[in-house]
C-alpha cells in the first residue's frame, strides 16, 4: 500500500511539473518578428498630411490585432474612396478597448504621458491572413492650434490569451517624414 501511495504522489508531482513547464513556455501564435512595418508621412495641405504605410505579416493572426497611427494632436483618419485604388482600405476605423489599453501601457513604458488629451487613439484592423497590406490615408488636426508633427509612429497591437496567460505585445515603428509637399 505504501509503495502505491508513493507511486501516485510521484506521478502527480511529475504531471504538475510538466504542466507548469508547458504553461511557462507558452508563446504567442504571432511574434513581433513576424510583423514588419514601414511608412512615410508628408504634408499635402495646410492642415492635412498623407500617411503611406505597409505592413507585412508572415504568420496568420486570428487573435485581436489593431494598427494605430500615433500622431499626437492629429487624427480624423480618412481613407481614399476610389474604387480602383490598389491600397487596402479597412471597413471601419475605431478602437478596441483592450488593444488600446495595451497601447497606453506601451507608450507609458516609452515615457509618453497618455493621461491627458493625448490619450485617445483610433486605429483599424488588417485581415488575419498572411500578406503585405499597403494603406494610404490622410489625417487632419483634432483641434485648433495643433503643433507640428512630433515623432509620428505606427503601432501594431497583438492581444492573445491562452490558458489564462496573456501573450500580448506591441510593436512600434517611426514614420519617415517626407520633406516635399504634394502638388
Amino acid at each position: 500500500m505504501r509503495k502505491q501511495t508513493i507511486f501516485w504522489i510521484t506521478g502527480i508531482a511529475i504531471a504538475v511539473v510538466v504542466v507548469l513547464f508547458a504553461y511557462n513556455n507558452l508563446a504567442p501564435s504571432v511574434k513581433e518578428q513576424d510583423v514588419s512595418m514601414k511608412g512615410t508621412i508628408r504634408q499635402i495641405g495646410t492642415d492635412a498630411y498623407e500617411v503611406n504605410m505597409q505592413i507585412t505579416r508572415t504568420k496568420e493572426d486570428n487573435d485581436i490585432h489593431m494598427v494605430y497611427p500615433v500622431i499626437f494632436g492629429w487624427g480624423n483618419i480618412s481613407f481614399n474612396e476610389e474604387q480602383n485604388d490598389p491600397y487596402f482600405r479597412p471597413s471601419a476605423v475605431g478602437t478596441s478597448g483592450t488593444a488600446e489599453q495595451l497601447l497606453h501601457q506601451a507608450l507609458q513604458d516609452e515615457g509618453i504621458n497618455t493621461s491627458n488629451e493625448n490619450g485617445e487613439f483610433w486605429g483599424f484592423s488588417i485581415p488575419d491572413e498572411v500578406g503585405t497590406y499597403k494603406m494610404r490615408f490622410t489625417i487632419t488636426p483634432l483641434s485648433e492650434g495643433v503643433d507640428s508633427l512630433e515623432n509620428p509612429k505606427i503601432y501594431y497591437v497583438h492581444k492573445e490569451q491562452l490558458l489564462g496567460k496573456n501573450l500580448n505585445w506591441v510593436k512600434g515603428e517611426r514614420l519617415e517624414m517626407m520633406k516635399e509637399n504634394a502638388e
Side-chain angles (χ1 to χ4, degrees):
M1 180 80 161
R2 187 174 175 154
K3 285 184 180 182
Q4 189 177 13
T5 304
I6 292 173
F7 173 77
W8 281 107
I9 291 173
T10 303
I12 292 171
I14 289 171
V16 167
V17 168
V18 168
V19 167
L20 287 174
F21 180 77
Y23 181 79
N24 285 332
N25 288 310
L26 289 175
S29 58
V30 176
K31 298 181 175 101
E32 287 185 52
Q33 58 265 33
D34 298 326
V35 176
S36 64
M37 302 181 295
K38 64 181 177 179
T40 60
I41 186 168
R42 67 183 177 133
Q43 189 168 8
I44 59 171
T46 306
D47 286 339
Y49 282 85
E50 179 181 78
V51 176
N52 281 292
M53 55 192 262
Q54 175 177 306
I55 298 175
T56 301
R57 192 174 47 232
T58 59
K59 285 190 178 174
E60 193 168 293
D61 192 351
N62 292 316
D63 296 289
I64 295 172
H65 58 278
M66 293 285 290
V67 176
Y68 288 96
V70 176
I71 307 164
F72 295 111
W74 295 79
N76 301 322
I77 297 171
S78 176
F79 284 86
N80 190 346
E81 297 290 330
E82 292 179 23
Q83 294 294 335
N84 295 327
D85 193 355
Y87 293 92
F88 169 75
R89 188 176 64 237
S91 57
V93 175
T95 192
S96 161
T98 54
E100 189 174 349
Q101 288 175 341
L102 294 170
L103 178 60
H104 276 277
Q105 186 59 52
L107 291 169
Q108 288 171 357
D109 291 348
E110 291 179 21
I112 299 171
N113 180 10
T114 63
S115 63
N116 55 19
E117 70 277 354
N118 291 337
E120 289 187 31
F121 302 105
W122 294 92
F124 48 88
S125 187
I126 61 174
D128 297 344
E129 293 81 22
V130 170
T132 297
Y133 301 94
K134 295 179 180 183
M135 289 143 280
R136 179 173 58 193
F137 56 88
T138 57
I139 57 169
T140 56
L142 293 174
S143 62
E144 296 291 322
V146 174
D147 295 333
S148 62
L149 301 178
E150 275 190 44
N151 197 24
K153 291 179 111 176
I154 50 175
Y155 288 87
Y156 186 99
V157 178
H158 173 84
K159 179 171 178 19
E160 180 178 359
Q161 192 168 28
L162 185 60
L163 300 175
K165 184 175 184 179
N166 289 328
L167 304 173
N168 311 322
W169 53 266
V170 177
K171 179 179 185 174
E173 292 290 335
R174 185 164 167 66
L175 290 170
E176 180 185 340
M177 187 69 145
M178 305 300 287
K179 297 295 182 191
E180 79 280 351
N181 290 347
E183 296 179 18

